[in-house]
Amino acid sequence: MERKHGPSCLGFPLSIFFIVINEFCERFSYYGMRAVLVLYFKFFLHWDDNLSTAIYHSFVALCYLTPILGAIIADSWLGKFMTIVSLSIVYTIGQTVMAVSSINDLTDYNRDGIPDNIPLHIGLSMIGLILIAFGTGGIKPCVSAFGGDQFEEEQEKQRSKFFSLFYLSVNAGSLLSTIITPVLRGEECGIHTKQKCYPLAFGVPAALMAVSLIVFILGSKMYKKAHPQGNIMLQVSKCIGFAVKNRFQHRSKQFPTREHWLDWASEKYDKRLITQIKMVLKVLFLYIPLPMFWALFDQQGSRWTLQATTMDGNFGAIQIQPDQMQTVNPILIVIMVPVVDTVVYPLIKKCHINFTPLRKITVGMFLASLAFVAAALVQVQIDKTLPDFPKEGQSQIKVINLGTDVAKVDFGSGVENVSVESLMATNYMTFDTTSLTRMNIAYGNQTLNQPLNFPGKERHTLLLKNTGGIQTELLLDGLTSKSEDGKNQIRFINNLASTINITMGGTHLGDVKNFSATNYTSFTIGVKEIVVFADNSLTCKNQSISFGYGSAYTIVIQECNNNTLALKYVEDIQPNTVHMAWQLPQYFIMTCGEVVFSVTGLAFSYSQAPSNMKSVLQAGWLLTVAIGNIIVLIVAGASKLSEQWAEYVLFAALLMAVCIIFSIMAYFYTYVDPVETEVQLDEDEKKKMENEKSICENGTGPISQCEL
């Protein structure tokens, strides 16, 4: 290692402040991008919930698989410093590509607000996510270890404080980013049309990653840089591989059995390494059930965020975005960790309960399972309020009668005639698209027969009027999902005889001809002032109803006389009525589970492993997170459950079953003291050397050995 006694600040090497700032910016970049990712999939790329969830968890899994690669590159080839720099460049490029992929105007050639080349956006997104996964995963095992390298051996106290500061920077970065980037996403931006500002939501994390890289490089001359020493994971893998191979080659009964299958590596590897690997494998065996916990935990960023899009985020003066609910977890972590350590655990100890680390982990898994039961109960209530959108092969039609008489509509295909009173509307009716070929409309003795041609999987509104013959207007509504930001979609229909100009809440909606409609426009919650200017210079005003959260309305302008504006409200989508606050219990229970599971799990693993095998267990721990996200893909894909609450219950049941299995495994586990084991190995090696020396002095040992 290149030892440099560089400048210090507050007793710390000045170089570590560059590393802490680097980590803060990197975590802001990662969690900021990840916070809005699932909504980007759903509302920009127009993927359904299942595909959005699948790609999200595939990305997270890759992020936790690549640390093994990063550790090998750092320890065996480039060293920690160059690995961090190289992969941070890859990381920054990936974040930039993600920001570019979300620019709506990139392929919006006809300027209608919808990208015309979705495959290009998907391709850029996948390239960006792969680069990000290799970047963030590759530097994950290097940055904290590189920070620890900056201290001298006598600075153990300062090194310990550094890791606390480092952990604080991680949580600060993730907390701030999950608050800020959803707000940025909620803004509207664009060159030709205004859309949700995903380029800004991804662009700011990209900028923070560039800052992270620059700050890290600025401290280059102050760092102590260790040369690659070889990776312990490779040694462990080679030893295990040789043992398996040797055992297979000597599987005949003529060869005596050995106490442990790893003992078959003793011909090539020393006893110390084999004993240490046995200790590690004993802990890794306990890791087998753990991925199921992460399968549930990481759905906070996917399923739970999607759940929040169908809820009411009105917290009085504050409007909470669905992806901002994820901030509840880091906030609770900051509160719960000291509370559990200083209050809960001491109370349990006073009750004379032996709350061992493995029992804590079991309780953590149980709590995560309960959190999903709570999520299922919330989902049941949400499902009661959700509209039934058309599925593949279906079309939905709503009829609004603007005429002066009862209208009767026959859509054929064995469906009853629909009767609509004057100035009334039906609910959305669902039809098989292929059967909707013609419709027959009747106003008293007047009839009209018209052909129909629907694209499918869309909602339509049929306007009818009987002034001067039967008039019809078929509108493509374009509403096939709830608004992700809780804003209300409002459109107007002009039922006056002349063209009018409409303004609502300060938003100018333009001229609207007789018997025609505006497009849907987004409005926030609350009461809005509606102003109508008619051709005869009449100005009419009225206050709207108080709009809720995530609704859609069609407002019919019926009359404008004597400054009085008569309006008819037709509800297209019911406002969200289940409040986001109902998600707080599931977040609280899950966070409690994380505190006793994750913190305890890492501490237990480190206490049970030899000092030179910590990185192996760290890799194993990260691998459980990756496998957990892969489990989400498998279970969600194989279950084929149509109801989301049922999927929550399925995951809860699976984790409960795994929790029982783990508790049985934990019951039979015997705790070890690695320090004591290593001392015993040292004594055994010392005795062996003394015996060999004694044999050589007596002249009874092999000449080759005694010469050594």
Side-chain angles (χ1 to χ4, degrees), residues 345-625:
Y345 288 161
L347 283 176
I348 292 174
K349 190 174 181 180
K350 281 188 176 182
C351 294
H352 304 290
I353 298 173
N354 186 18
F355 203 32
T356 63
L358 293 181
R359 289 177 180 174
K360 293 176 183 176
I361 293 172
T362 305
V363 169
M365 298 170 79
F366 175 74
L367 289 173
S369 180
L370 284 186
F372 262 60
V373 172
L377 294 175
V378 172
Q379 190 64 47
V380 168
Q381 298 305 312
I382 292 173
D383 288 346
K384 295 176 182 178
T385 69
L386 289 180
D388 183 20
F389 291 109
K391 301 177 177 60
E392 200 69 46
Q394 292 181 338
S395 294
Q396 290 183 342
I397 303 174
K398 168 182 290 203
V399 180
I400 301 179
N401 181 10
L402 302 177
T404 57
D405 201 353
V406 177
K408 294 184 179 181
V409 186
D410 180 10
F411 291 103
S413 52
V415 180
E416 288 184 20
N417 289 357
V418 179
S419 294
V420 190
E421 297 290 332
S422 175
L423 301 178
M424 298 298 289
T426 67
N427 293 322
Y428 280 104
M429 299 170 286
T430 303
F431 299 94
D432 181 355
T433 302
T434 57
S435 65
L436 280 175
T437 57
R438 303 194 68 82
M439 66 176 176
N440 187 67
I441 304 163
Y443 270 104
N445 295 325
Q446 299 182 73
T447 60
L448 178 67
N449 194 281
Q450 280 190 341
L452 295 174
N453 183 21
F454 291 108
K457 209 175 181 181
E458 289 286 356
R459 282 185 157 192
H460 305 266
T461 297
L462 176 63
L463 304 183
L464 301 178
K465 199 169 186 178
N466 63 338
T467 304
I470 297 178
Q471 300 179 58
T472 66
E473 184 70 28
L474 189 62
L475 306 176
L476 176 62
D477 296 350
L479 295 180
T480 55
S481 64
K482 295 278 282 186
S483 172
E484 79 269 24
D485 57 5
K487 289 186 177 179
N488 301 280
Q489 303 299 313
I490 310 297
R491 69 177 174 184
F492 287 85
I493 294 176
N494 179 11
N495 197 30
L496 302 182
S498 59
T499 299
I500 59 174
N501 188 283
I502 304 173
T503 299
M504 175 167 160
T507 300
H508 183 61
L509 303 178
D511 292 336
V512 186
K513 294 180 180 180
N514 165 254
F515 198 60
S516 61
T518 66
N519 293 324
Y520 281 104
T521 304
S522 295
F523 290 92
T524 55
I525 67 170
V527 177
K528 310 294 176 186
E529 183 181 54
I530 302 172
V531 181
V532 172
F533 300 94
D535 280 349
N536 55 8
S537 300
L538 274 175
T539 301
C540 301
K541 298 180 181 179
N542 201 342
Q543 297 294 311
S544 73
I545 61 173
S546 180
F547 296 114
Y549 204 88
S551 68
Y553 284 94
T554 296
I555 304 177
V556 180
I557 307 293
Q558 294 185 174
E559 187 178 342
C560 179
N561 287 318
N562 301 322
N563 201 34
T564 301
L565 186 62
L567 305 172
K568 169 71 177 178
Y569 290 87
V570 178
E571 185 180 84
D572 299 330
I573 295 179
Q574 179 183 341
N576 300 345
T577 54
V578 180
H579 202 277
M580 281 187 196
W582 284 107
Q583 279 197 322
L584 292 177
Q586 66 201 54
Y587 273 103
F588 176 75
I589 299 170
M590 180 63 79
T591 303
C592 291
E594 180 190 3
V595 169
V596 295
F597 178 92
S598 184
V599 177
T600 305
L602 281 171
F604 164 77
S605 303
Y606 274 52
S607 71
Q608 296 295 291
S611 57
N612 65 332
M613 295 284 179
K614 306 295 186 189
S615 62
V616 178
L617 284 180
Q618 176 71 7
W621 184 263
L622 294 175
L623 191 61
T624 65
V625 182

Side-chain angles (χ1 to χ4, degrees), residues 217-238:
I217 293 175
L218 286 176
S220 175
K221 293 184 179 179
M222 303 179 194
Y223 298 141
K224 298 170 185 175
K225 303 168 187 173
H227 297 292
Q229 301 292 324
N231 189 275
I232 188 66
M233 285 188 288
L234 291 178
Q235 296 180 41
V236 171
S237 300
K238 288 178 180 178

Side-chain angles (χ1 to χ4, degrees), residues 2-53:
E2 300 174 16
R3 286 289 175 192
K4 299 179 182 180
H5 295 279
S8 62
C9 178
L10 302 175
F12 295 93
L14 188 59
S15 58
I16 68 110
F17 293 99
F18 289 90
I19 296 171
V20 169
I21 295 172
N22 160 268
E23 182 65 12
F24 169 82
C25 293
E26 188 276 325
R27 289 291 86 186
F28 186 108
S29 178
Y30 174 73
Y31 282 107
M33 177 276 305
R34 183 172 144 174
V36 301
L37 189 58
V38 75
L39 297 187
Y40 168 73
F41 290 155
K42 180 174 181 179
F43 296 106
F44 187 90
L45 298 181
H46 302 294
W47 291 345
D48 62 25
D49 287 3
N50 289 333
L51 182 57
S52 299
T53 300

Side-chain angles (χ1 to χ4, degrees), residues 634-654:
I634 296 171
V635 175
S639 66
K640 303 298 182 184
L641 295 173
S642 59
E643 300 292 342
Q644 185 56 54
W645 67 265
E647 186 179 289
Y648 287 146
V649 172
L650 173 62
F651 274 106
L654 288 172

